[in-house]
């Protein structure tokens, strides 16, 4: 299973699945056989992440060769994914509880998105997530340091002070190099909310995407 990051948004997509062009790129050209492709959404909004569940573990090498290959005008980062992260993404995307994935293909990972793509009945919407002091950054320049990231958030126009660099963490890929993702912990939920207003602002030559996060998500990408 692999996780794709920086997937281009597709506002015309009505079901939360990766557009066929992604399967066309992954399967015919690389000979990969997929069980499921899940375009992740959070509160109905595409996050730019997608999970691809492969039929055979041996196909991981072929999938990883797509790392930094272009989809349209953006390159896609391909990382090895874990089943718990995929299951959490299923719940985030479809708003459902446990169960429903794994039964079709045995052993997990066989969830088919279209079977759960119906809108939830009135009154069953998930409650709003609790306030958080942590944000996730995606699209960071690979050369960015913790001090660069802290300085990015020093913005008096929105009353935001630079966070403590010790509260900035940069995620790395399996080879130990930065993968373009990071996390910042602020002093208060209000400061974290203000930080999210800098979503898609430029850091150097790249725009940075900013999302509410949690200590649990940070620990999955940046083990302490």
């Amino acid at each position: 299973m692999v996780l794709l990051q920086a997937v281009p948004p597709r506002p015309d997509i009505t079901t939360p699945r990766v557009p066929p062009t992604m399967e066309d790129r992954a399967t015919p050209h690389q000979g990969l056989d997929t069980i499921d492709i899940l375009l992740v959404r959070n509160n109905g909004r595409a996050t730019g992440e997608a999970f691809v569940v492969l039929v055979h573990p041996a196909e991981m090498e072929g999938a990883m060769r797509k790392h930094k290959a272009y989809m349209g005008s953006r390159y896609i980062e391909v990382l090895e994914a874990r089943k718990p992260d995929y299951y959490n993404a299923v719940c985030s995307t479809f708003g459902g509880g446990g169960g429903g994935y794994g039964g079709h293909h045995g052993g997990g990972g066989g969830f088919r998105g279209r079977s759960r793509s119906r809108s939830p009945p009135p009154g069953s919407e998930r409650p709003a997530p609790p306030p958080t002091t942590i944000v996730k950054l995606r699209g960071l320049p690979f050369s960015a340091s913790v001090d660069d990231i802290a300085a990015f958030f020093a913005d008096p126009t929105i009353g935001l002070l630079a966070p403590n660099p010790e509260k900035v963490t940069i995620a790395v890929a399996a080879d130990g190099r930065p993968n373009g993702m990071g996390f910042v912990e602020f002093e208060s939920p209000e400061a974290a909310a203000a930080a999210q207003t800098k979503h898609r602002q430029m850091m150097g030559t790249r725009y940075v995407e900013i999302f509410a996060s949690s200590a649990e998500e940070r620990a999955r990408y940046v083990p302490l």
Side-chain angles (χ1 to χ4, degrees), residues 5-93:
Q5 296 180 339
V7 175
R10 288 289 298 273
D12 60 329
I13 297 299
T14 56
T15 57
R17 301 183 63 76
V18 169
T21 52
M22 180 174 290
E23 293 191 72
D24 291 343
R25 284 170 179 255
T27 303
H29 297 304
Q30 294 293 335
L32 302 181
D33 192 6
T34 62
I35 292 175
D36 191 24
I37 300 179
L38 173 72
L39 181 64
V40 182
R41 292 180 182 271
N42 188 6
N43 295 324
R45 173 185 173 190
T47 66
E49 294 183 336
F51 286 86
V52 178
V53 184
L54 303 169
V55 172
H56 305 293
E59 295 180 317
M60 277 290 298
E61 182 179 352
M64 296 300 289
R65 284 200 296 267
K66 301 293 289 183
H67 182 57
K68 294 191 178 180
Y70 275 82
M71 179 181 295
S73 60
R74 300 180 66 176
Y75 70 78
I76 306 299
E77 297 173 348
V78 182
L79 308 173
E80 185 173 353
R82 304 186 308 166
K83 286 184 179 179
D85 296 332
Y86 169 71
Y87 296 155
N88 289 336
V90 168
C91 293
S92 172
T93 300

Side-chain angles (χ1 to χ4, degrees), residues 106-224:
F111 179 85
R112 302 302 297 178
R114 61 175 67 90
S115 66
R116 292 285 296 273
S117 62
R118 294 186 296 272
S119 299
S124 65
E125 291 81 4
R126 299 176 70 194
T132 180
T133 58
I134 299 175
V135 299
K136 177 174 71 174
L137 315 179
R138 191 170 59 221
L140 291 169
F142 297 125
S143 61
S145 66
V146 293
D147 291 325
D148 294 330
I149 296 171
F152 172 77
F153 285 105
D155 191 340
T157 64
I158 56 175
L160 190 61
L161 301 176
N164 185 339
E166 294 183 356
K167 298 293 185 178
V168 178
T169 51
I170 298 175
V172 296
D175 60 6
R177 293 183 295 181
N179 63 11
M181 183 183 296
F183 294 84
V184 180
E185 183 171 356
F186 290 88
E187 294 295 328
S188 67
E190 292 76 17
Q196 292 178 64
T197 66
K198 295 180 71 68
H199 181 63
R200 290 182 176 267
Q201 290 190 17
M202 301 296 293
M203 180 185 295
T205 60
R206 302 187 65 178
Y207 69 80
V208 178
E209 297 175 297
I210 305 172
F211 305 94
S213 186
S214 65
E216 292 76 16
E217 182 180 26
R218 179 178 60 185
R220 291 200 299 269
Y221 289 98
V222 189
L224 299 179

